[in-house]
Amino acid sequence: MFRNSMPRYEVLSADAMAALDQGWRRLVSEIGVEFMSDRALDLFRAAGQRVEDNAVFFDPDFVLEQLAKAPREFDVAARNPEHSIHIGGDAMAFGAVYGPPFVRQGEVRRDATMEDFRAFTKLAQSFPVLDSAGGVICEPNDTPLDSRHLDMTLALQTLTDKVYMGNVVSGVNARDTIEMSAILFGGRDVIERTPVTISLINCNSPLRWDDRMLEAQFEYSAANQPVVLTPFLLMGAMSPVTVPAALVQQMAEAFTGIALSQLIRPGCPVIFGSFLSNINMQSGSPTFGTPESGLGLLCTGQIARHFGLPFRSGGAMTSSQVPDAQAGYEALMTMLPTFLAGTNWVMHAAGWLDGGLVASYEKFVIDVELVQMLQAQFKPLEIDEASLAFDAHQEVGHGGHFLGAAHTMERFRTCFYRPLLSSSDNYERWMRGGGVDAAGRATKIYQQRLAEYERPPLDDAVRAELEDYVQRRRKELGD
Amino acid sequence: MFRNSMPRYEVLSADAMAALDQGWRRLVSEIGVEFMSDRALDLFRAAGQRVEDNAVFFDPDFVLEQLAKAPREFDVAARNPEHSIHIGGDAMAFGAVYGPPFVRQGEVRRDATMEDFRAFTKLAQSFPVLDSAGGVICEPNDTPLDSRHLDMTLALQTLTDKVYMGNVVSGVNARDTIEMSAILFGGRDVIERTPVTISLINCNSPLRWDDRMLEAQFEYSAANQPVVLTPFLLMGAMSPVTVPAALVQQMAEAFTGIALSQLIRPGCPVIFGSFLSNINMQSGSPTFGTPESGLGLLCTGQIARHFGLPFRSGGAMTSSQVPDAQAGYEALMTMLPTFLAGTNWVMHAAGWLDGGLVASYEKFVIDVELVQMLQAQFKPLEIDEASLAFDAHQEVGHGGHFLGAAHTMERFRTCFYRPLLSSSDNYERWMRGGGVDAAGRATKIYQQRLAEYERPPLDDAVRAELEDYVQRRRKELGD
């Protein structure tokens, strides 16, 4: 997996950090945070926090005591050990887009299906730069709602051998994910020792954690599976329009969600989540890849490090409807800050289009190219006698060229990043090749990847047990 | 003009900087740098440097003494004082693409004409985010070669009231630019007091400065007009394939070019230039927006600051043939590091396509959007009671929304960057609008800007004098 050993780009002064620190303390103690779950309220009450109706008014120092119990870094195992990942420190892990109900394939935009879900899962498996297919890579609208999570989890477990995300629609779904994970990895004790899933718990911002998400959180935290406590902030709608206000709200929400996990199971792994962008104040539409979201991302990383928490943020977001120039630059407007901030867990790293409503086959390939390029860029320079190449200058002299120099010949295969998608063909050559733009070339690439896909090996008995489980549970759920 | 008061992103350790420092010293003293000009060689010889044939073998400390004479920062006046710029420090100035022989307009790629030159100049005037139309915004191939520089300079002087670049094809062209500038600004003494042009002197890398460029440099430096001494490095062709080698070569070339300017006129303004990318080692094509060039850019900024020099780098480069997703992400792969490095003089900031062979109308608009977005992003957060918005939370409460909150209503017009080009329309609205992608929307934007263009006012007598000069010189040059 990728380790980002370049410096972090930090933009908050010590004074700014102190002001933000005061901000979240004031929010959690004076406005409080709502938890729509009696179990959660009971835990907080028992821990000495003031509870009124569903609102918990926190002692900020109590919250920090809970945060201190969470591990700063941890491992998540994949069934192929080569694909296991580390969360925290300088490690960065990348998962595909999460949640779109629609897909775009060339000129066609339509409802996503289970076949799409499987196809995207295969694509995620086929690109080494992705550490995970994610979870809800698209919504398989042609499968029954109650048992859909079983089909999705089975696909993630069998079509990839990478880390996958857990279903969070309800506590029931979470339990099924945990059961199936126990089957795949050889028992609940095994997955409690080293977690094998990551699950996304979104806040119903502002300052409210909803019951269904909390039910899932209870299951995952109890099973020692990491949850990403994520304030869902589109500034102007779910948070005030100013970045500092969004940051303190994000801290208040994420920190209190994390505190809950530490009450459920002290020491269980958590990830400080961030999903931070803004709306277009003229139309109310969500916007992505904006200056404000990029700035917020840089601050989020610095805040997470300040509090010793691994964090999730970033991705390849765009508001564009098609994989055009806007999709390219907006994706990078988020993805480059994602690297500058050293984001540990990067959801939506491939395939996001149309504000997250669409999983795009072409955009998937574009985004993989971006992640690959940035992984190549975020490597410290090696400066030594060989890389300074004095001998090459002695060989080439003034006004010459280095194409045939010995220094070049020894390195030409690996010296530069080799693109997956980008073309540097000159005009004549590009026209001879059909004059195909990046989106058109992406079509060919994903089709070829799917054609060449090979299912990673899996023990037949385990596969059968998983399939039995799905069949049994599907019946029990009435589908 | 824009001031970048965000932190710089620096990736070189002190040890790395020391190794690079040793590297350029070794190059200039042991390999030497060629100057294809007797005047230059005479100056270096008189200053005590060893000269053999055209190669000068430098005492590195002598080079540093010359660098120390160059101003760290300086002003460049525009004929509209509101458009005057500062070069150095935290100031960043942006000019359009420079040099393309072709243009692309929608689906059409063709030879550039004088009419294109004028149209791009008008576009540069119409976008406040651009500080300059640059110089050779495209090559007007339908005008006679000998007198073309007169038409271009006249267009830059009359169709914009911003800073413009000087012609560098020859000493004769440079003299004409200086004469015309003296007419526009009221005398040679005036422009010698505060410079009014910036001129690009490219190195014939590796390690050779050619005669025609040096002739132009002699004219501009003598007239106290800033020159950008720019190593032209496509790694693998004009420099070794390793970034550290490219960096030390860049230092050796730029530093010795700057030393020459300081011998021509001590204290004259100079800019440390960088044009640093790489070739595709499989095809030999130049590539842009690459990981290696982004890393080189970040290092270049740090080096320039280390030696107290204002610097030029970056832009909106791409190898793409069309304004597609690749054009979008490659442009930003260079433009975002351009801001992270705090580049003082940014050429190629709008319109670059096809490795710089094409000036694209659509890409021009895309790039203006990128510069606007980044100028919005690179502003430090203001953190105070108002921006922390505690009152908004008191008003909205848990699970509410901020759309109608007083805090929002007071700020909704200016709180977020408002895009020029990017669309956040939802699918239905976007389809009703014709389903037009970013390139298609860019067409409408540049056409509207040209339709609405107004020529900035200019004294009739000055205009007449400039036109007389052009007419007279055209005759003298035999066109």
Side-chain angles (χ1 to χ4, degrees):
Chain A
M1 72 175 305
F2 181 68
R3 299 253 173 192
N4 181 348
S5 43
M6 290 281 272
R8 300 293 171 267
Y9 182 55
E10 304 210 322
V11 301
L12 293 171
S13 67
D15 281 353
M17 187 65 85
L20 297 178
D21 190 47
Q22 286 308 308
W24 78 267
R25 287 169 177 266
R26 194 174 176 193
L27 277 184
V28 300
S29 56
E30 296 185 31
I31 308 272
V33 180
E34 281 191 355
F35 288 78
M36 312 308 278
S37 152
D38 289 338
R39 292 161 76 192
L41 296 173
D42 289 345
L43 283 174
F44 285 128
R45 205 180 283 114
Q49 303 308 293
R50 181 159 63 92
V51 176
E52 287 179 20
D53 301 324
N54 283 99
V56 185
F57 296 86
F58 288 92
D59 169 4
D61 292 329
F62 163 80
V63 175
L64 292 182
E65 281 162 29
Q66 304 313 308
L67 259 57
K69 296 179 189 165
R72 298 177 79 95
E73 308 186 22
F74 54 88
D75 293 317
V76 182
R79 69 177 174 92
N80 176 349
E82 285 178 17
H83 292 158
S84 293
I85 61 175
H86 186 74
I87 298 286
D90 64 2
M92 294 181 69
F94 299 85
V97 64
Y98 184 104
F102 304 104
V103 297
R104 180 174 279 274
Q105 210 166 14
E107 297 299 306
V108 179
R109 185 189 194 268
R110 56 171 172 73
D111 281 357
T113 66
M114 193 64 213
E115 202 41 50
D116 291 312
F117 187 97
R118 292 197 186 97
F120 279 115
T121 302
K122 291 174 182 174
L123 285 178
Q125 175 71 11
S126 82
F127 289 108
V129 82
L130 294 179
D131 298 286
S132 172
V136 190
I137 194 162
C138 62
E139 272 293 343
N141 293 297
D142 55 344
T143 58
L145 205 55
D146 280 345
S147 61
R148 184 178 291 175
H149 64 288
L150 302 169
D151 300 306
M152 292 157 76
T153 303
L154 185 67
L156 292 166
Q157 291 183 322
T158 56
L159 298 176
T160 81
D161 58 8
K162 300 182 173 182
V163 166
Y164 54 89
M165 296 185 72
N167 197 285
V168 293
V169 170
S170 66
V172 170
N173 287 12
R175 276 196 297 279
D176 279 329
T177 307
I178 293 165
E179 291 284 340
M180 290 176 73
S181 298
I183 294 171
L184 185 64
F185 286 87
R188 169 125 179 174
D189 56 326
V190 176
I191 69 170
E192 288 204 23
R193 236 173 2 248
T194 304
V196 301
T197 60
I198 299 176
S199 297
L200 176 66
I201 306 297
N202 276 338
C203 189
N204 182 355
S205 306
L207 302 174
R208 175 182 287 162
W209 291 97
D210 271 348
D211 54 344
R212 293 168 70 89
M213 281 271 168
L214 290 177
E215 280 176 28
Q217 181 182 353
F218 268 95
E219 298 298 331
Y220 285 119
S221 286
N224 209 36
Q225 302 302 302
V227 284
V228 192
L229 282 310
T230 305
F232 192 93
L233 302 184
L234 293 169
M235 291 181 272
M238 300 84 140
S239 90
V241 294
T242 40
V243 174
L247 293 173
V248 300
Q249 182 181 335
Q250 185 172 265
M251 291 158 88
E253 293 174 351
F255 289 0
T256 55
I258 290 169
L260 176 60
S261 273
Q262 297 309 314
L263 292 183
I264 297 168
R265 177 169 175 151
C268 72
V270 292
I271 298 173
F272 175 55
S274 171
F275 182 93
L276 176 55
S277 196
N278 52 289
I279 62 169
N280 177 323
M281 294 306 293
Q282 283 63 53
S283 68
S285 299
T287 56
F288 296 96
T290 63
E292 295 78 15
S293 63
L295 194 51
L297 204 172
L298 297 171
C299 295
T300 297
Q302 193 171 347
I303 291 166
R305 277 186 295 281
H306 184 79
F307 288 89
L309 295 166
F311 76 108
R312 167 253 162 154
S313 186
M317 276 83 154
T318 178
S319 300
S320 186
Q321 292 292 331
V322 283
D324 61 354
Q326 179 184 339
Y329 66 69
E330 285 186 339
L332 192 57
M333 269 295 278
T334 309
M335 196 53 96
L336 216 161
T338 301
F339 277 75
L340 288 167
T343 309
N344 302 119
W345 175 240
V346 184
M347 295 177 62
H348 309 304
W352 170 294
L353 201 66
D354 184 7
L357 291 177
V358 167
S360 157
Y361 285 87
E362 280 79 9
K363 179 77 169 7
F364 198 100
V365 175
I366 291 168
D367 295 341
V368 166
E369 176 82 310
L370 294 184
V371 176
Q372 290 188 172
M373 286 168 79
L374 291 169
Q375 288 195 2
Q377 186 171 331
F378 279 72
K379 284 202 181 120
L381 285 178
E382 284 178 30
I383 305 187
D384 53 20
E385 185 66 18
S387 69
L388 286 171
F390 187 77
D391 54 335
H393 281 288
Q394 286 181 307
E395 180 182 347
V396 170
H398 309 97
H401 69 78
F402 291 83
L403 272 168
H407 184 271
T408 304
M409 298 308 286
E410 284 161 17
R411 292 167 177 79
F412 78 96
R413 279 196 183 78
T414 57
C415 56
F416 303 134
Y417 171 69
R418 291 173 76 160
L420 164 72
L421 171 69
S422 303
S423 164
S424 58
D425 283 350
N426 65 31
Y427 179 65
E428 290 68 28
R429 191 182 168 94
W430 182 76
M431 285 299 283
R432 277 200 306 274
V436 184
D437 71 4
R441 296 194 302 273
T443 303
K444 291 180 196 164
I445 291 168
Y446 90 74
Q447 287 173 345
Q448 193 183 342
R449 290 282 172 150
L450 288 179
E452 291 170 355
Y453 167 83
E454 285 182 30
R455 204 162 63 167
L458 177 63
D459 184 273
D460 284 341
V462 173
R463 181 189 307 275
E465 197 178 345
L466 285 170
E467 286 168 355
D468 286 351
Y469 184 89
V470 168
Q471 215 165 353
R472 173 169 67 78
R473 285 291 294 144
R474 197 194 305 281
K475 235 177 254 168
E476 290 170 5
L477 291 166
D479 287 333
Chain B
M1 71 174 306
F2 180 69
R3 298 251 173 194
N4 182 345
S5 43
M6 291 280 273
R8 301 294 171 269
Y9 183 55
E10 304 211 320
V11 300
L12 293 171
S13 66
D15 282 353
M17 187 66 84
L20 296 178
D21 189 48
Q22 287 307 310
W24 77 267
R25 287 169 178 265
R26 192 171 177 197
L27 277 185
V28 299
S29 56
E30 296 184 33
I31 308 269
V33 180
E34 280 191 354
F35 287 78
M36 312 307 277
S37 151
D38 288 338
R39 291 161 76 191
L41 297 173
D42 289 345
L43 283 175
F44 285 128
R45 205 180 282 113
Q49 304 308 295
R50 182 161 61 93
V51 176
E52 287 180 20
D53 300 326
N54 283 99
V56 184
F57 296 86
F58 288 91
D59 169 3
D61 292 329
F62 162 80
V63 174
L64 292 182
E65 282 163 31
Q66 304 313 308
L67 258 57
K69 294 179 190 166
R72 297 177 80 93
E73 307 186 22
F74 55 87
D75 293 318
V76 181
R79 69 177 175 91
N80 177 347
E82 285 177 18
H83 291 157
S84 292
I85 62 175
H86 186 74
I87 297 287
D90 64 2
M92 293 182 70
F94 299 84
V97 62
Y98 185 105
F102 304 105
V103 297
R104 178 174 281 273
Q105 210 165 15
E107 297 297 305
V108 178
R109 185 190 195 266
R110 57 174 170 71
D111 281 358
T113 66
M114 193 64 213
E115 203 41 51
D116 291 311
F117 187 96
R118 292 199 186 94
F120 279 114
T121 302
K122 292 174 182 176
L123 286 177
Q125 175 70 12
S126 83
F127 289 107
V129 83
L130 295 179
D131 299 286
S132 172
V136 189
I137 194 163
C138 62
E139 272 293 342
N141 294 297
D142 55 344
T143 58
L145 204 56
D146 280 345
S147 61
R148 181 177 293 175
H149 64 288
L150 302 169
D151 300 306
M152 295 159 74
T153 304
L154 185 67
L156 293 167
Q157 291 183 321
T158 57
L159 298 176
T160 82
D161 57 8
K162 298 181 174 182
V163 165
Y164 53 90
M165 296 185 71
N167 196 284
V168 294
V169 171
S170 65
V172 170
N173 288 13
R175 275 196 297 279
D176 279 329
T177 306
I178 293 166
E179 291 283 341
M180 290 175 74
S181 298
I183 293 170
L184 185 66
F185 285 85
R188 168 122 180 177
D189 56 326
V190 176
I191 68 169
E192 287 205 22
R193 233 166 13 240
T194 306
V196 300
T197 60
I198 299 175
S199 298
L200 176 66
I201 306 296
N202 276 337
C203 188
N204 182 355
S205 305
L207 303 175
R208 174 182 287 161
W209 291 96
D210 270 347
D211 54 344
R212 292 168 71 91
M213 282 271 168
L214 289 178
E215 280 175 30
Q217 181 182 353
F218 268 96
E219 297 298 330
Y220 285 118
S221 286
N224 209 38
Q225 303 302 301
V227 286
V228 192
L229 283 310
T230 305
F232 191 93
L233 303 184
L234 294 169
M235 290 180 274
M238 298 85 140
S239 89
V241 294
T242 41
V243 175
L247 292 173
V248 299
Q249 182 182 336
Q250 185 173 264
M251 293 158 87
E253 293 174 352
F255 288 1
T256 55
I258 290 170
L260 176 59
S261 275
Q262 298 308 314
L263 292 183
I264 297 169
R265 178 170 173 152
C268 71
V270 293
I271 298 173
F272 174 56
S274 171
F275 182 94
L276 175 55
S277 196
N278 52 288
I279 62 170
N280 176 323
M281 295 307 292
Q282 282 64 52
S283 68
S285 299
T287 57
F288 296 97
T290 63
E292 295 78 13
S293 63
L295 194 51
L297 205 171
L298 297 171
C299 295
T300 296
Q302 194 171 346
I303 290 166
R305 278 185 294 282
H306 184 80
F307 288 91
L309 295 166
F311 76 108
R312 167 255 161 150
S313 185
M317 274 83 155
T318 178
S319 301
S320 185
Q321 292 293 329
V322 283
D324 61 354
Q326 179 185 340
Y329 65 69
E330 285 187 339
L332 192 58
M333 270 294 278
T334 309
M335 196 54 95
L336 217 162
T338 301
F339 277 74
L340 288 167
T343 310
N344 301 118
W345 175 240
V346 184
M347 295 176 63
H348 308 304
W352 169 295
L353 201 67
D354 183 9
L357 290 177
V358 168
S360 157
Y361 285 86
E362 281 78 9
K363 179 75 168 10
F364 199 99
V365 175
I366 291 168
D367 295 340
V368 166
E369 177 83 310
L370 295 184
V371 176
Q372 289 188 174
M373 288 167 78
L374 292 169
Q375 289 195 2
Q377 185 170 333
F378 279 73
K379 282 197 183 126
L381 286 179
E382 282 177 31
I383 305 186
D384 53 22
E385 186 65 17
S387 69
L388 286 171
F390 186 77
D391 54 336
H393 281 287
Q394 287 181 308
E395 182 183 345
V396 169
H398 308 100
H401 67 79
F402 291 83
L403 271 169
H407 184 271
T408 304
M409 298 307 285
E410 286 161 17
R411 292 168 177 77
F412 79 94
R413 281 196 182 79
T414 56
C415 56
F416 302 134
Y417 170 70
R418 293 174 74 161
L420 164 73
L421 170 68
S422 302
S423 165
S424 58
D425 284 349
N426 65 29
Y427 179 65
E428 290 69 26
R429 191 183 168 93
W430 182 77
M431 285 300 282
R432 280 200 305 277
V436 183
D437 71 3
R441 296 195 303 275
T443 303
K444 290 178 196 165
I445 292 169
Y446 89 73
Q447 286 172 345
Q448 192 183 343
R449 290 282 173 150
L450 288 179
E452 292 171 354
Y453 168 82
E454 285 183 31
R455 203 162 65 169
L458 178 63
D459 184 274
D460 284 341
V462 173
R463 183 189 306 275
E465 197 179 341
L466 286 170
E467 286 170 354
D468 286 351
Y469 183 90
V470 168
Q471 214 165 356
R472 174 170 66 78
R473 287 290 296 143
R474 195 192 307 279
K475 233 176 257 169
E476 289 171 5
L477 292 166
D479 286 334

